[in-house]
Amino acid sequence: MEPRAAELVDQLIDETLPRVVELRRKLHARPELGFQEKETTALIRQVLGELGLEICEMNLPTGAVAVLQGGSPGPSVGLRADIDALPIEEKTGLPFQSANPGVMHACGHDGHMAILLGTALVLRRLKEHLSGSVKFIFQPAEELLQGAKQMIEAGVLDGEPLERIYALHLWPQVPFGHIGVLPGTAMAGADRFSVTIQGVGGHGANPHLARDPIIAAAHSITMLQTIVSRETNPAEPTVVSIGKIQGGSAYNTIGDSATFEGTVRTTGRDAYDKIPGVFRTQLEGIARATGTEIACDYRRLCPPLVNSRDAASEVLELSRSLFGEDRALQLTAPTMVAEDFGLFLEKTAGCMFFLGIGEERLLHTPTFDFAEEILKTGMKLFVMLVLSKLSGRSG
Ligand code: NI
């Protein structure tokens, strides 16, 4: 790595920080739900435009992509932040609390955006030291697990292949200021399903004249739990959760239909590939056995998030050298929470790492907040990851 660029980084980050904090607060005050991030996108584009970055026209209603070309040719590195908020009424009482009723940045995406914009501000000033280019990706609708798919289909990864792609997430389960990295599968894949059972209604006293959809729903739900216990590798965690069930209208009546909905989380690729088929087989069997008709709408949201082992060890090693041996943690178990950055990692080797904000900060809660000091740590790691790939190779 070119020593001069690296030496400049701390100073540049300090100079940039007030602007980054201001941007974070502005973004926090105007949270928008997935695929509705209009104002957010406008602000991001404004900052990227001011920097003179080449903005890629993706033909997408929200989200933004820009490229910073270094002073000499070389590989390309991608950095991604998610930009959407959650349908939560904020109760932090912060002076920059959400001004949009019922919507809140409760997952730290305001922080992710501020860090990525800050990284662009710093790298822009190191442009001449870079051999290669950096693609900044601001992705919509992560919470819906649909934005990555939309961006990839729109061509975000077209053009020169990225040598690496990185993303970070503010993470309560990692101590403040520490970096958590899990090589290999780090986050679960997620699917969602909705099952509709059509039976034949009747009098509760005459069940033999009806086809009870509630009995069929009960058997289906119990049977589907055997996917976890009997169909998948117990060493690779899987979850089947039914979050909603509806059916019937009176205590002494057999209704004619029932529905239930849920989510499947997988960490193993085999399970991810196999489970939709098992769903079909099991539900067909229950339909036959109960004389009902069962329809299942099974949707893929995102695959398990798999960090490249090389990229993950690079992040760990760099974090150790930047922040100290004890502040880089190699995590041991994946989280069952899903992140659609996994779709990017199917196309490009890279790593999503966790930036520790401490356990008292719970994601997706109305009082979620984080100490803004962490923005510096995120920027430093992003900037240095880029420098580690794009400097020292000129000539
Ligand atoms: Ni998030």
Side-chain angles (χ1 to χ4, degrees):
M1 186 181 304
E2 209 171 293
R4 268 189 308 154
E7 279 163 22
L8 280 171
V9 169
D10 282 330
Q11 190 196 329
L12 289 176
I13 288 178
D14 284 339
E15 284 174 27
T16 314
L17 195 65
R19 178 87 200 276
V20 174
V21 169
E22 183 201 313
L23 284 167
R24 183 259 159 161
R25 295 182 179 187
K26 231 175 180 170
L27 291 162
H28 187 89
R30 293 283 175 193
E32 295 166 299
L33 296 175
F35 292 134
Q36 300 171 29
E37 310 96 334
K38 299 255 186 243
E39 257 189 89
T40 307
T41 299
L43 179 58
I44 292 167
R45 286 178 72 112
Q46 184 199 323
V47 177
L48 297 172
E50 278 167 27
L51 288 173
L53 264 58
E54 180 192 316
I55 294 184
C56 313
E57 290 311 331
M58 301 279 303
N59 213 0
L60 292 175
T62 57
V65 183
V67 174
L68 171 66
Q69 295 288 353
S72 51
S76 291
V77 171
L79 299 173
R80 174 275 207 176
D82 39 13
I83 70 170
D84 57 325
L86 287 159
I88 292 177
E89 182 72 39
E90 179 162 351
K91 292 190 180 125
T92 57
L94 290 166
F96 50 92
Q97 165 159 317
S98 168
N100 296 346
V103 186
M104 176 190 176
H105 271 298
C107 195
H109 299 187
D110 51 336
H112 305 166
M113 287 185 271
I115 289 169
L116 191 53
L117 289 169
T119 302
L121 289 162
V122 171
L123 286 173
R124 171 67 186 79
R125 294 179 62 186
L126 295 170
K127 181 178 151 79
E128 294 312 316
H129 297 271
L130 302 177
S131 308
S133 62
V134 188
K135 194 178 254 187
F136 298 91
I137 302 170
F138 293 87
Q139 182 210 300
E142 186 281 324
E143 297 292 352
L144 306 176
L145 299 175
Q146 286 172 32
K149 184 166 183 273
Q150 188 204 51
M151 284 199 119
I152 292 168
E153 283 172 1
V156 69
L157 296 176
D158 295 358
E160 202 196 329
L162 300 175
E163 182 171 302
R164 284 278 187 270
I165 189 163
Y166 303 103
L168 59 78
H169 206 298
L170 300 182
W171 210 247
Q173 288 78 25
V174 171
F176 186 85
H178 290 55
I179 313 297
V181 185
L182 183 50
T185 303
M187 300 179 86
D191 299 332
R192 74 178 284 178
F193 58 85
S194 167
V195 175
T196 305
I197 301 166
Q198 188 60 50
V200 178
H203 196 294
N206 293 320
H208 59 298
L209 302 178
R211 292 283 116 197
D212 187 351
I214 288 182
I215 290 290
H219 279 298
S220 301
I221 290 166
T222 308
M223 186 77 204
L224 291 172
Q225 290 304 320
T226 67
I227 292 176
V228 178
S229 65
R230 287 299 174 267
E231 298 284 350
T232 60
N233 182 346
E236 297 174 327
T238 303
V239 170
V240 176
S241 284
I242 282 98
K244 187 177 172 188
I245 179 165
Q246 270 176 324
S249 59
Y251 86 96
N252 57 354
T253 300
I254 294 168
D256 58 4
S257 70
T259 59
F260 63 90
E261 292 175 34
T263 183
V264 173
R265 304 293 164 115
T266 45
T267 54
R269 188 72 215 192
D270 289 348
Y272 179 74
D273 292 338
K274 177 183 182 186
I275 289 176
V278 180
F279 252 74
R280 228 178 1 257
T281 311
Q282 293 195 344
L283 294 175
E284 276 168 15
I286 304 253
R288 253 201 319 280
T290 57
T292 57
E293 277 171 34
I294 305 186
C296 179
D297 179 13
Y298 193 99
R299 289 186 199 187
R300 303 243 91 145
L301 295 176
C302 65
L305 182 147
V306 185
N307 285 325
S308 127
R309 294 197 175 265
D310 288 346
S313 21
E314 287 160 14
V315 173
L316 273 168
E317 238 166 80
L318 185 63
S319 303
R320 283 191 188 112
S321 73
L322 293 176
F323 310 120
E325 199 68 30
D326 60 323
R327 278 178 60 188
L329 309 174
Q330 179 162 347
L331 306 175
T332 50
T335 163
M336 299 313 284
V337 171
E339 233 286 358
D340 65 0
F341 185 63
L343 281 166
F344 287 100
L345 293 177
E346 282 193 328
K347 312 264 177 199
T348 303
C351 180
M352 161 160 273
F353 53 89
F354 298 138
L355 197 51
I357 52 172
E359 267 194 3
E360 65 283 7
R361 315 286 190 171
L362 286 180
L363 295 173
H364 294 217
T365 61
T367 52
F368 176 77
D369 185 28
F370 58 87
E372 285 167 334
E373 228 182 296
I374 203 67
L375 300 171
K376 260 176 95 161
T377 314
M379 284 162 67
K380 176 124 185 200
L381 191 44
F382 265 171
V383 168
M384 296 303 284
L385 278 167
V386 169
L387 289 178
S388 75
K389 293 287 169 197
L390 303 191
S391 63
R393 288 190 212 175
S394 47

